Amino acid sequence: MTEKLSLRKRSVTIAGHGTSVSLENAFWDALKDLAEERGISLNAMITEIDKERTGNLSSAIRVYVLEHMRR
């Protein structure tokens, strides 16, 4: 369980620009699963989330994953 709660920073490309995002391993795993289900890359999914966000990208990703898990 501790490993799932550990923060992991990854480099991603959003609209051609590199940035880094820190998320707990559990959120990275869930986000990867959601991207695979949709047949898109992790970068493409994060780009979609980035376009819709109003605040912090890491928080927006967590909310996105949570909303999809609740459905």
Side-chain angles (χ1 to χ4, degrees), residues 6-64:
S6 297
L7 275 178
R8 183 169 185 190
K9 185 180 275 192
R10 291 191 181 184
S11 297
V12 296
T13 303
I14 300 171
H17 301 288
T19 191
S20 61
V21 179
S22 294
L23 292 171
E24 294 79 7
N25 285 326
F27 282 101
W28 282 119
D29 292 345
L31 192 64
K32 180 182 162 199
D33 291 345
L34 290 170
E36 286 178 2
E37 285 176 18
R38 292 188 51 202
I40 62 174
S41 71
L42 198 57
N43 281 336
M45 177 161 280
I46 293 172
T47 297
E48 288 180 10
I49 295 167
D50 182 61
K51 288 178 185 176
E52 300 297 320
R53 75 180 169 113
T54 57
N56 176 286
L57 180 56
S58 294
S59 295
I61 292 169
R62 288 182 186 99
V63 170
Y64 180 90

